[in-house]
Amino acid sequence: MSQPSVDSTPQKKRSGSRSSATNFASDCTDQWSLRMDDARKEREYRRFDFDDIARCALPKNSTLRDLVDKRTKEISHRLDDILVERSQDPETPALVRQAANECRKWLRGELISKNSSRYEKVIYPAHAALIRCIAGHLDPEPTSAGGTDEAKRVLLPYASDLKPTGSDKRIRIDGALRSCADASSADDELRPDYRDIVLVAEAKWRREQDKAYDQLIRYTRQVYANQPNRRFAWGVTICATLVRVILFENDRMVSSKDMDVTTSTGLAAYIKFIVSLCFCEEHQLGYDPSMTWCSENEYWIIKCPGRTPDNDDEQPATYYARDPVFVADHLFGRHTRGFYASDDPELVDQPDTFIKDAWPHAERGSEDTSRDELAILQDIVQQLKTRGIDTTGYVRPVRGGTVRLDDDHDDNTDTVLDPVVGDIEAAHPQMGTIAENDETDAGALATKLAAGRGKDDEACAIDDSSWVEVIPYRVHRRLALKPIGKPLYALSSPYELIIVLADAMTAHSKILNLCGYLHRDISTNNILAIEVDGRVRGVLIDFDCAIKVGSQRRVRAERTGTPPFMSINNLRNSSVERSELDDWESLLYVVCWLGVYGVSGANQSKYQADIERKCRTDKNYKPPLYAWECGTFEEVARAKKENLEDMGTFTGSVLNHFQREDGYAMLKSLARRLHKRLLFNSHLDNKYMGMVKVYCGGDDSDESDDDTSKSTVVFVDPFAKRLEQKARDQINKDLMKTMAHYKAAAVSALYNTNTA
C-alpha cells in the first residue's frame, strides 16, 4: 500500500463530530449573558500574567532562534521605513509594502472613532495587514526551497467578523490566523474554520481587556472541540494599540504583558512572537505530533504508547480512526477524547479498539501507579480472571502509557510551558499545591485567588488549607481499550439504557467489592453500550478518578467527577467520606439527565430544537436541569438539593419534565425508586432521611454569662449516617435489587416485543 499524504496542520477533518452530552444544557441555551458570565468566572480564576509567556513559541534550535531574531529585526526595520515614509528598500516585496501601508494608521495610533463597535471593526483589518506583512517577508524564495533559513510555515488571517465553520454557537469572531505553506495563499475573504485555526484574535475598543479575555475564552473552547490533536492553544487580544499573547493550557490562561504596537519595542515583541510561530515545531503551536490527519484517506493516524499488560518497553503501535466520538468540549480540564480505531488502515470503518486520550493530574517525579488508569485496569482484569469471572462486560487494556513528543521528552505540563515553567514557579513562590478536586470550580477558586492577591494583583500568602498551585502538573496519556462500545446517545430506547446502566452498576459493585477500587466518576460519558450475542450490555469505563479503597470501602473527602452528575457531598467537598453511595447518587442524575434531555440522538435533537424555540421567545427561559451544570460547585449542589429534597419537589422539578415517548415511563419509575431507596430508605431512622442535617439535642442557649460554657448543639449529617455499616449495606442491597428488577422488566419489554 502506498504511503498516504499526512497533514498535521491544517487538519481538514470531516465535519460532524458530536459534542459531549454533558454540555447539552448549555448548548441549548444560547443566552449571551449566561455564556459571558461563565467566561468571566473562568477568567477570574484561571488567568494570571507572566510577561515572557511568548517565549514558549521560540524554536528549541539555537540556529532557528537566531534566525527569528534576524527576521524580526528585518521586518521591524522595513516597517519603520514605510511608516515614517523614508526611502524604501527596492527589494521590499510589493505584498509587504501594501500590507504595511494598510496598517499604517493603527501602528501610528491614528485609528480614532467614537463608536466602539466601528472601532473594533477597523482594528482587526489593520492587524490582519500586519500579519500579511510579516508573511510576505518570510515567504520562501523559489530557489531556496528546503533551505535551513526558511520558515516552516507562514500565518495568514481569515476574513473578520464571521461565524466560523464548526461552531456550535451562533457567534462571530473578530478574526483568527491559519497556517499556510506560503503567503500566496492569502485570502481576506476566507471564512474562518475552527478545524484549521491556529489562534483566535479578539479586538476591543480602548482598554476593555477583561471583555476581550472573556470572549477569547468562549471562542478558544471551540478550537479544542474541533481539533482532537490540540494539546494547548494560543490566543491574542488587541485593545486599541495594546496587544497581549495568551497561552491556554489545561488549567490556566497565561497572559503576556501589554505590547504597544505604536512603540518600536512593543511592535518588535509582537512581530517576534508571530515569527516564532512560523519557525517553531508543530508541538509548540499546540499540536500533537503523535496524532496526524491523513487527508487522502480521511482518517487520523494515532500512535499509542507501547506499555502492555506483558511488556513495559514495547514500541508504540499505530491505529487508524475517523473523527472522535468524544471531543474535548471544555477549555480547561482533562480534555478527554475518544476514538473508535483499528490497527489496520483497511479496517478503519470496522474498528475493534477504543482509543482514549486525556490529560489527568499526576505528581512530578513520582512512580506511584495508584492513580495510573492503565495500572488500575490491569489489576482489575487480573483479579477478576483469578476469581474466574468473565471479563466480557469489563473494559480491558490492550496497551497505553504516556504520550511522547519525541524520543527524549514525555508530553506533560512542563513540556507545554518549556522553557518558562521554572520561571513561573519562581515568580510565585508563595503559592502551594491544590488537589485535582477543585479543578473545575471556577467560582470557588476565584474566591481563593482573590484572597491571595494584593492590591497590585500579585500572589501573596494564603491559608495552608487553600493553597493553589500556579500550574497544576498533568501528563498526556493514551490508552487502547477493548471492547469497543457505543456512547449512550447511540441507544435507541430507554429500555436499552436501563439494561446498560444495570450492567454498569453490577460491574461497579464487583470492582469495588472484589478488586477494591471505587470508580468516583459515574456520568453519561463513562458508560458505554456493547452487543453480546445480539443483545445490548453495558460497560463501565474511564477509571481516571478511581482510587484503591480499604476494607471499610471509604476514601478521603476529595472532589472528583463531572459536575452535572456529581453527588451533593462531592460538589460541596464535605468532610463526609466518599463511598459507593456517591456513585449511586451520580447514577440517579444520569437517569434524570437522559430522561429529560432524551436517550437517543434523535430524541435529544428534537428536544434541543424545542428548547431553542423557547429561548427565542423568552430570553429568561432556562431549560430543566440547567442549574445542574452552570455555576459554581456550591450553586450546583444547592440546586440539586432543592430538586431532590422530597418526592413532591423531585416530581415537580425533575420527573414531570421527562420525555413522553415509549419507554420513558419506566425510566421515570426507575428514577423515583432510586431516589427513594437512596435518600429515603425504609431501613433508616425517619429523622435521618433526606438531605437536611438533623438537630440531635444539646444546649445552644446564650443566656449564661459563664465564659467557660460551651455550646453542645449536635447536628447529624444524614449522608454520614447512611455510611454506617449496617445502613450502607442495606441501601446498597436495595439499590442493586432495584436495578436488577428494572433490567428484567426492560429486557422483557425490549426483546419480547421484538420477537412477537
Side-chain angles (χ1 to χ4, degrees):
M1 178 179 173
S2 61
Q3 191 70 15
S5 60
V6 174
D7 310 319
S8 49
T9 56
Q11 304 179 64
K12 299 297 183 188
K13 77 178 184 67
R14 294 182 305 165
S15 60
S17 294
R18 186 182 180 87
S19 294
S20 162
T22 60
N23 204 41
F24 185 77
S26 59
D27 283 348
C28 288
T29 52
D30 195 18
Q31 300 182 57
W32 177 269
S33 60
L34 290 171
R35 295 196 311 272
M36 290 304 292
D37 186 57
D38 292 341
R40 176 186 58 78
K41 291 177 181 177
E42 293 284 16
R43 183 246 309 160
E44 288 176 350
Y45 158 45
R46 305 285 184 178
R47 181 191 67 81
F48 74 92
D49 296 337
F50 182 73
D51 291 351
D52 260 354
I53 192 60
R55 262 203 293 148
C56 291
L58 275 174
K60 307 297 182 185
N61 182 282
S62 60
T63 301
L64 291 180
R65 287 200 300 271
D66 291 341
L67 274 172
V68 167
D69 289 336
K70 179 181 178 182
R71 296 290 183 260
T72 299
K73 290 178 182 177
E74 291 171 354
I75 296 170
S76 298
H77 179 71
R78 281 182 169 175
L79 271 172
D80 189 48
D81 282 348
I82 295 172
L83 292 176
V84 300
E85 300 178 342
R86 288 198 294 259
S87 58
Q88 298 172 20
D89 184 345
E91 296 183 3
T92 300
L95 175 64
V96 174
R97 288 198 300 272
Q98 179 183 349
N101 283 320
E102 290 176 9
C103 63
R104 180 199 304 272
K105 285 188 176 181
W106 178 50
L107 298 181
R108 283 179 158 185
E110 296 173 356
L111 280 180
I112 299 173
S113 174
K114 295 182 179 179
N115 184 305
S116 61
S117 60
R118 163 124 181 111
Y119 189 64
E120 292 170 13
K121 289 181 179 179
V122 297
I123 290 178
Y124 185 75
H127 174 263
L130 174 61
I131 299 301
R132 290 198 311 274
C133 177
I134 296 171
H137 183 89
L138 297 178
D139 212 14
E141 296 290 337
T143 57
S144 64
T148 58
D149 61 346
E150 279 187 33
K152 298 179 185 294
R153 66 194 71 81
V154 294
L155 299 186
L156 290 172
Y158 284 105
S160 63
D161 197 29
L162 292 174
K163 175 188 172 183
T165 302
S167 174
D168 64 358
K169 302 285 188 184
R170 294 189 295 272
I171 52 177
R172 299 166 177 250
I173 64 174
D174 287 342
L177 305 184
R178 58 195 173 100
S179 172
C180 299
D182 56 65
S184 64
S185 303
D187 181 358
D188 288 351
E189 302 302 317
L190 184 66
R191 178 180 291 275
D193 189 332
Y194 272 124
R195 295 169 294 186
D196 300 329
I197 286 175
V198 173
L199 66 81
V200 178
E202 173 62 23
K204 281 294 174 191
W205 186 43
R206 293 181 178 170
R207 302 191 180 189
E208 299 176 317
Q209 188 63 59
D210 285 346
K211 289 184 179 179
Y213 281 141
D214 293 349
Q215 289 184 223
L216 191 64
I217 285 170
R218 296 173 56 241
Y219 305 152
T220 304
R221 179 186 76 82
Q222 307 276 359
V223 172
Y224 281 107
N226 282 272
Q227 298 182 17
N229 61 339
R230 201 66 187 246
R231 302 162 53 243
F232 66 89
W234 291 101
V236 169
T237 61
I238 310 159
C239 295
T241 61
L242 302 179
V243 177
R244 288 191 183 186
V245 170
I246 296 93
L247 186 148
F248 294 92
E249 59 92 50
N250 294 77
D251 294 281
R252 298 285 186 263
M253 53 180 295
V254 188
S255 176
S256 75
K257 62 183 177 182
D258 286 330
M259 292 174 270
D260 190 342
V261 295
T262 64
T263 67
S264 58
T265 302
L267 180 58
Y270 186 54
I271 291 173
K272 183 174 182 177
F273 168 68
I274 298 297
V275 173
S276 294
L277 293 180
C278 296
F279 277 90
C280 70
E281 298 298 327
E282 290 284 335
H283 68 81
Q284 292 178 270
L285 292 177
Y287 293 99
D288 180 358
S290 67
M291 186 185 299
T292 52
W293 175 250
C294 174
S295 56
E296 180 179 334
N297 294 319
E298 292 194 327
Y299 55 53
W300 291 98
I301 302 173
I302 304 170
K303 301 290 184 182
C304 191
R307 208 168 107 214
T308 70
D310 304 315
N311 193 326
D312 285 347
D313 300 316
E314 286 191 12
Q315 292 298 310
T318 302
Y319 290 88
Y320 306 86
R322 301 297 187 191
D323 288 337
V325 288
F326 297 113
V327 299
D329 59 359
H330 288 80
L331 183 55
F332 301 106
R334 285 182 286 170
H335 291 163
T336 302
R337 294 150 170 134
F339 299 80
Y340 295 155
S342 171
D343 58 5
D344 184 346
E346 301 293 337
L347 299 177
V348 67
D349 292 316
Q350 301 172 46
D352 62 355
T353 305
F354 184 79
I355 302 294
K356 176 186 173 181
D357 188 270
W359 286 75
H361 280 100
E363 186 175 344
R364 282 185 176 89
S366 173
E367 296 183 2
D368 179 18
T369 60
S370 63
R371 303 298 290 271
D372 182 337
E373 185 176 14
L374 179 63
I376 290 173
L377 290 174
Q378 289 173 344
D379 187 33
I380 289 172
V381 171
Q382 182 59 43
Q383 291 197 56
L384 292 175
K385 286 182 176 179
T386 300
R387 289 171 168 81
I389 296 174
D390 180 14
T391 58
T392 300
Y394 296 82
V395 60
R396 305 181 300 279
V398 178
R399 63 172 55 244
T402 301
V403 175
R404 305 199 64 137
L405 288 180
D406 52 45
D407 292 339
D408 300 319
H409 299 93
D410 289 344
D411 198 10
N412 53 47
T413 300
D414 290 350
T415 54
V416 168
L417 293 171
D418 181 52
V420 303
V421 64
D423 295 337
I424 291 174
E425 296 289 352
H428 298 268
Q430 304 95 325
M431 304 292 250
T433 302
I434 184 168
E436 69 179 86
N437 57 10
D438 283 331
E439 70 175 82
T440 56
D441 191 3
L445 283 182
T447 302
K448 289 184 180 181
L449 283 177
R453 286 177 178 156
K455 62 182 180 180
D456 297 323
D457 201 36
E458 295 180 355
C460 58
I462 53 181
D463 183 77
D464 288 352
S465 64
S466 59
W467 277 8
V468 179
E469 187 176 27
V470 179
I471 303 290
Y473 184 72
R474 294 179 183 264
V475 294
H476 185 187
R477 289 188 176 137
R478 186 171 295 148
L479 302 177
L481 306 167
K482 291 188 177 183
I484 189 170
K486 300 184 297 184
L488 294 185
Y489 65 73
L491 296 173
S492 60
S493 74
Y495 300 126
E496 288 186 337
L497 175 66
I498 291 170
I499 295 168
V500 167
L501 296 182
D503 286 347
M505 294 311 291
T506 298
H508 177 279
S509 179
K510 288 183 178 179
I511 290 170
L512 174 63
N513 295 321
L514 301 180
C515 307
Y517 289 98
L518 182 62
H519 188 275
R520 303 198 305 165
D521 192 12
I522 301 296
S523 71
T524 54
N525 283 344
N526 292 343
I527 298 173
L528 297 180
I530 61 172
E531 187 175 299
V532 178
D533 298 330
R535 293 197 170 191
V536 67
R537 289 186 60 179
V539 178
L540 183 63
I541 65 166
D542 198 345
F543 285 75
D544 267 348
C545 296
I547 194 168
K548 190 78 171 177
V549 299
S551 59
Q552 296 300 311
R553 298 201 313 233
R554 295 184 185 180
V555 297
R556 67 185 183 277
E558 180 184 25
R559 186 187 284 133
T560 58
T562 310
F565 313 109
M566 289 165 63
S567 71
I568 293 171
N569 265 339
N570 199 359
L571 288 161
R572 287 183 166 169
N573 204 19
S574 77
S575 59
V576 177
E577 295 93 335
R578 305 295 181 262
S579 75
E580 64 271 33
L581 297 185
D582 290 278
D583 284 357
W584 278 106
E585 188 179 334
S586 294
L587 180 76
L588 172 60
Y589 299 137
V590 169
V591 172
C592 293
W593 191 269
L594 295 177
V596 171
Y597 291 117
V599 175
S600 68
N603 286 159
Q604 290 183 6
S605 297
K606 179 181 177 182
Y607 191 77
Q608 181 173 1
D610 183 55
I611 292 297
E612 290 177 344
R613 177 183 57 78
K614 291 178 179 178
C615 287
R616 286 193 296 270
T617 57
D618 181 0
K619 292 183 178 180
N620 295 317
Y621 176 77
K622 296 179 184 178
L625 311 187
Y626 181 85
W628 289 15
E629 180 181 22
C630 300
T632 66
F633 281 153
E634 180 58 37
E635 290 167 345
V636 174
R638 189 182 308 118
K640 288 182 176 180
K641 183 174 178 294
E642 291 172 355
N643 291 156
L644 274 65
E645 63 182 351
D646 57 59
M647 184 57 71
T649 304
F650 182 50
T651 300
S653 63
V654 179
L655 297 183
N656 285 348
H657 295 284
F658 270 43
Q659 297 200 12
R660 303 184 184 280
E661 282 81 359
D662 182 47
Y664 283 92
M666 184 182 291
L667 196 63
K668 181 190 293 188
S669 177
L670 172 60
R672 184 180 289 110
R673 188 66 61 87
L674 289 173
H675 176 266
K676 182 177 180 180
R677 293 287 184 263
L678 182 63
L679 301 174
F680 297 89
N681 195 288
S682 60
H683 293 89
L684 288 170
D685 189 307
N686 284 340
K687 65 183 178 181
Y688 298 134
M689 292 183 180
M691 294 170 285
V692 180
K693 288 186 178 182
V694 181
Y695 172 67
C696 293
D699 179 15
D700 61 348
S701 170
D702 58 359
E703 296 177 1
S704 173
D705 293 329
D706 184 359
D707 291 340
T708 63
S709 64
K710 300 290 183 182
S711 172
T712 57
V713 175
V714 177
F715 286 93
V716 175
D717 190 332
F719 289 102
K721 293 297 290 186
R722 282 193 281 272
L723 278 182
E724 292 181 357
Q725 191 70 45
K726 185 177 179 180
R728 185 186 66 195
D729 289 346
Q730 191 60 56
I731 292 172
N732 273 310
K733 187 182 295 185
D734 288 349
L735 289 168
M736 288 301 301
K737 281 184 179 179
T738 296
M739 292 307 298
H741 171 77
Y742 278 87
K743 177 183 177 181
V747 168
S748 177
L750 185 63
Y751 294 109
N752 288 351
T753 299
N754 289 344
T755 57

